[in-house]
Amino acid sequence: MNPHGLFCPNILSFIFVILLPFHGVVLAAENHENFLKCLSLQSNTISKVIYTQNNSSYSSVLKASIKNLIFSTPTNPKPVFVITPFHVSEIQAAVKCSKKNGLQIRVRSGGHDHEGLSSISDVPFIIIDLINFIEISVDVEEKTAWVESGATIGQLNYRIAEKSQNLLTFPVGTCPGVGVGGHFSGGGYGVLLRKYGLSADHIVDAHMVDVKGRFLNRESMGEDLFWAIRGGGGASFGIIVSWKINLVAVPPTVTVFNVPRTLEQNATKLLFKWQCIADKVHEDLFISPVLLRVNSTMVSVFTALFLGGVDRLLPLMQDSFPELGLTRKDCREMTFVESIVYFDGYEVEDPINVDVLLGRDFHVRFFRGKVDYLTEPIPEDAFQGIYNIFLEQDQETNGVLMFFPYGGKISEISESEIPYPHRAGNIYTLLYFAGWDLESTDDTYQRHDNMLKKLFNYMTPYVAKNPRTAYINYRDLDVGTNNKLGHTSVQEASVWGKKYFKNNFYRLVHVKTMVDPENFFRNEQSIPPFNLVKDEL
């Protein structure tokens, strides 16, 4: 009898497969216990701000900053721990101990990530929620401010207006509940992009914790890393805790309008004309149409901000866009900070209550989004195909197209000045957006997602090509992802990376390789480091 015959490799493999899950659970529990021990040795205060899955507050803390309810359902992966630090030292401890114990980190400032990457992961992970990092310090004389990453852009604009008596602000987006950290690190654009460019164009310093747990500023991190975090997505490089920004001037009075036009009121011709003039009008004027279905017809709402009074605006509109038929009655004068409340869709009272900007409890809903850049107008007759897709949906499937004009300052800055490359040559950005308030089911999600994908596919002939460009702050995993298991090569990641960053992607890879060569800070669309063995030059 051959004694080696009892030693069957297939049997061993079978036993190993049976025991592997049990071994993984034991190992995971051991790692988690070691993680907690490591934290206690690194920080005396962190025990007060860490929430385990057994903690009674865990669920409420986890959900508090999730602004897209798609990622707040019971089936989504949950973090092993949620940490809500008050001090940089607690963030440093979390980075060191996560790295030591094989846990990934998701960093959350406002919780608006379109694909939920600040709140979910398929591997064991923790969330560092910067909800307590909300300090804002404004220096009116120097026209600068320091703002922590957990503050919202609404809070930032409120504090700047308060200190400057409505004469200064900062160029940010139109959703006041968005967190500063993600917004700035992805670029950040809004109604002032034609006058002043992006948020990231005005960042002059930053404080961050790197992969080694070091606290860095612009000088100590170096210019390459400082370049990367201003539009390259901060989550690839470390945890940015605060930003120094240069403030910009606004007049004491601005003018806004919302003018709806139906198909019967020549909405199609007006949209086509807007495409031809939107990037060429005076840089003080930002006109942004929103196209949506209302009952059985389509409506285009022409929304605008003008940096000045109505007496200046009306002649400009008559000269550049007389077809809209704007009248004084359509217009409303207010301060710039009041316009932020106005554009977010609040029930606008008189006077406007800007105190709502200090809160964080903005409208939370289910939503999906995609984005395109256009370098030429959509042909007038092509709009009918867009209308058909909207009108074939049932009444409960809601979506909009939002048109954001380019031209002015954003188009004057070099593509390589910061990682955000979408500059000269673009006439506008098109956002495909679907949002719903009902309890989400697979069917509800699928209906809205299918509608967006139909619109997106229909638009293929009319949008930027080679590559079809995208924007990291409107994250879209459909454009490509890193490998969930194993190494992702630079070539593989360039499939999505060049859509977000064009050729700046390769400089971002260079920076990543210098500062995080082992790829600790990673997610489905993080910048990969260059691996000399696995990547080809």
Side-chain angles (χ1 to χ4, degrees), residues 345-400:
Y346 279 94
E347 291 295 327
V348 179
E349 303 168 354
D350 198 4
I352 294 173
N353 177 23
V354 297
D355 290 346
V356 297
L357 298 176
L358 291 174
R360 299 183 77 93
D361 298 327
F362 295 92
H363 192 51
V364 178
R365 63 194 318 201
F366 301 88
F367 65 84
R368 290 283 291 151
K370 289 180 172 294
V371 72
D372 264 320
Y373 289 83
L374 283 88
T375 58
E376 297 178 353
I378 304 169
E380 188 174 333
D381 58 4
F383 278 97
Q384 186 59 51
I386 296 174
Y387 304 156
N388 291 343
I389 294 171
F390 274 104
L391 293 171
E392 71 186 19
Q393 310 301 318
D394 62 52
Q395 290 288 341
E396 293 183 352
T397 305
N398 304 305
V400 298

